[in-house]
């Protein structure tokens, strides 16, 4: 069976990492499954190409579609698929008309909302819909229109091979007693204005702690696209030695950083899910889109993390949150345990893999 992943590539790298987690679960369930990626070049942000290749896949590139090329292009990109899995890219579902043999499984993001009233005839034609969120984020009422197609799996987590905190810290060369703050920059996926505000606030807050009560503090910046750009944004002649910068890293490496950190800055959904499940304290600055705001605000309301709305992200606010996490370990432990309990549980990625394999088998039988 061939499964083609069609992740959203117009934002951060979270949809690529989520589908890669799903790909590994598919291979565990059935080693004969072949997985490939198709990347929509029209909406592409370049880090997603790099991330896909870091996952070990050479993606097929979907060019702009026109009336003249749609059949040939769709056949070239999807013609050998048994199942197409879109992760928030259901706008490409009409291409299925050119490859009717393939099953189509969709992973939407909340709240789905009013647009479902325009999309529901299209979604009714899908073979399955996977809701990859914890009960903390309720299924939108509008989804009742396609309730019979939905499987609620919970978040996709594949953390068995992630080392524990002390092993992860040792692997990264972290010194004992040196708190680590982790932030994945990712080329500002939630708009440049928001990204610069968060980067500046995180850096200035860390700088104050590093010069004050936590001189051993380290700031790790991952998925850095352009070091010189960040240096200019922060007004630095050079980065100090307490800042560590790395580019886009494989998912396993990113998870090792999350495990090692004392604080993870949570912008995107995948980062929030993974940090919560690994038991790493979070300071949430959810990107200004519906999915991340819903999850970030819900975790904040439940006392599972320090959470800030976009307009409230300032160096002073983040410094206060960082101090609370580092200086009040008892309260931090309660928040960390609460976050883990809220995010984990359910069938997760293995349940999603089973749905895809079953859907592909049914489609094959129906079109034989």
């Amino acid at each position: 069976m061939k499964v083609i992943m069609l992740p959203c590539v117009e934002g951060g790298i979270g949809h690529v990492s989520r589908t890669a987690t799903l790909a590994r679960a598919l291979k565990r369930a059935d080693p004969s499954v072949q997985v490939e990626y198709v990347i929509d070049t029209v909406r592409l942000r370049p880090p997603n190409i790099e991330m896909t290749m870091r996952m070990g896949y050479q993606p097929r590139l979907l060019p702009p579609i026109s009336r003249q090329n749609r059949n040939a292009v769709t056949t070239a990109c999807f013609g050998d698929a048994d199942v197409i899995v879109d992760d928030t890219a259901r706008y490409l579902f009409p291409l299925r008309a050119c490859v009717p043999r393939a099953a189509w499984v969709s992973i939407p993001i909340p709240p789905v909302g009013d647009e479902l009233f325009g999309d529901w005839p299209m979604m009714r034609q899908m073979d399955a819909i996977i809701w990859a969120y914890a009960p903390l984020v309720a299924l939108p009422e509008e989804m009742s229109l396609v309730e019979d197609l939905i499987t609620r799996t919970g978040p996709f987590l594949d953390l068995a091979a992630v080392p524990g905190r002390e092993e992860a810290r040792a692997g990264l060369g972290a010194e004992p007693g040196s708190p680590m703050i982790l932030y994945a920059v990712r080329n500002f996926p939630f708009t440049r204005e928001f990204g610069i505000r968060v980067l500046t606030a995180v850096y200035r807050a860390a700088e104050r702690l590093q010069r004050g009560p936590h001189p051993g503090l380290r700031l790790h910046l991952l998925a850095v696209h352009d070091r010189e750009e960040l240096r200019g944004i922060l007004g630095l002649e050079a980065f100090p030695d307490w800042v560590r910068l790395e580019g886009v890293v494989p998912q396993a490496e990113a998870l090792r950083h999350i495990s090692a950190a004392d604080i993870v800055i949570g912008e995107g959904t995948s980062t929030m899910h993974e940090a919560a499940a690994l038991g790493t304290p979070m300071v949430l600055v959810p990107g200004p889109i519906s999915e991340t705001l819903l999850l970030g605000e819900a975790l904040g309301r439940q006392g599972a993390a320090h959470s800030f709305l976009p307009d409230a992200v300032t160096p002073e606010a983040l410094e206060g949150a960082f101090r609370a996490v580092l200086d009040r370990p008892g309260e931090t432990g309660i928040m960390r345990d609460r976050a883990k309990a809220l995010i984990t549980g359910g069938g997760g990625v293995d349940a999603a893999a089973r749905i895809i394999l079953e859907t592909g088998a049914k489609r094959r039988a129906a079109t034989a």
Side-chain angles (χ1 to χ4, degrees):
M1 182 181 296
K2 175 166 283 188
V3 177
I4 288 182
M5 299 294 183
L6 182 59
C8 170
V9 290
E10 60 187 300
I13 57 181
H15 297 285
V16 175
S17 65
R18 182 160 70 176
T19 51
T21 300
L22 179 55
R24 292 194 298 274
L26 285 166
K27 294 294 285 186
R28 286 196 301 270
D30 183 351
S32 70
V33 169
Q34 301 175 59
V35 178
E36 294 196 21
Y37 273 74
V38 170
I39 299 296
D40 176 17
T41 60
V42 174
R43 303 196 184 194
L44 175 66
R45 290 176 65 91
N48 284 295
I49 286 273
E50 184 179 357
M51 183 63 169
T52 304
M53 296 179 71
R54 289 273 186 175
M55 297 294 184
Y57 298 97
Q58 184 68 42
R60 304 175 186 183
L61 301 181
L62 182 69
I65 299 291
S66 68
R67 182 180 182 87
Q68 289 71 35
N69 72 5
R70 65 187 175 199
N71 287 348
V73 165
T74 305
T75 300
C77 287
F78 301 104
D80 56 349
D82 294 293
V83 185
I84 299 166
V85 179
D86 87 80
D87 189 340
T88 319
R90 70 178 184 272
Y91 63 92
L92 289 172
F93 177 79
L95 297 181
R96 185 188 187 181
C98 301
V99 284
R101 187 180 65 86
W104 193 289
V105 177
S106 188
I107 307 172
I109 64 171
V112 183
D114 288 343
E115 70 268 21
L116 183 55
F117 288 107
D119 282 0
W120 76 263
M122 180 171 71
M123 294 186 79
R124 285 297 308 167
Q125 299 175 66
M126 292 172 176
D127 295 275
I129 298 170
I130 293 172
W131 187 250
Y133 299 89
L136 184 68
V137 179
L139 192 71
E141 181 182 352
E142 293 85 354
M143 294 290 281
S144 63
L145 292 165
V146 288
E147 181 73 32
D148 57 316
L149 299 175
I150 298 171
T151 299
R152 307 184 198 201
T153 64
F156 292 0
L157 299 166
D158 183 14
L159 308 176
V162 180
R165 182 173 185 273
E166 294 307 319
E167 182 183 347
R169 286 177 62 84
L172 293 174
E175 299 175 0
S178 298
M180 180 196 306
I181 297 174
L182 177 67
Y183 174 44
V185 181
R186 300 175 299 163
N187 202 26
F188 308 137
F190 297 107
T191 74
R192 184 175 178 82
E193 178 186 0
F194 175 78
I196 289 174
R197 182 190 308 161
V198 173
L199 172 68
T200 302
V202 168
Y203 180 84
R204 298 302 174 201
E207 182 180 46
R208 293 175 187 180
L209 293 181
Q210 212 275 338
R211 291 179 176 177
H214 296 282
L217 183 142
R218 299 291 182 264
L219 174 62
H220 284 205
L221 301 178
L222 285 186
V224 174
H225 180 65
D226 186 335
R227 296 182 181 213
E228 288 305 300
E229 179 188 33
L230 298 196
R231 185 185 61 77
I233 289 170
L234 294 171
L236 303 173
E237 291 188 6
F239 280 101
D241 59 7
W242 53 270
V243 178
R244 175 171 173 170
L245 297 96
E246 296 188 37
V248 175
V249 299
Q251 190 178 15
E253 181 72 8
L255 290 171
R256 188 157 66 101
H257 277 79
I258 292 174
S259 181
D262 293 271
I263 299 173
V264 167
I265 306 300
E267 265 189 345
T269 300
S270 293
T271 300
M272 296 185 210
H273 284 163
E274 290 160 355
L278 287 169
T280 303
M282 298 181 290
V283 172
L284 305 182
V285 288
I289 64 170
S290 58
E291 174 193 24
T292 51
L293 287 170
L294 280 171
L295 180 58
E297 290 175 2
L299 287 166
R301 282 195 306 273
Q302 294 290 333
H306 298 274
S307 183
F308 297 90
L309 291 173
D311 291 343
V313 177
T314 65
E316 295 76 18
L318 294 194
E319 180 187 3
F322 294 166
R323 284 177 178 268
V325 172
L326 297 175
D327 298 342
R328 300 202 287 269
E331 294 177 17
T332 298
I334 292 171
M335 296 183 83
R336 182 185 61 222
D337 293 345
R338 189 168 292 156
K340 187 171 185 177
L342 289 168
I343 292 300
T344 55
V349 71
D350 293 317
R354 287 194 297 272
I355 289 295
I356 289 167
L357 294 174
E358 292 169 4
T359 300
K362 290 178 182 176
R363 189 73 181 177
R364 271 184 169 181
T367 58

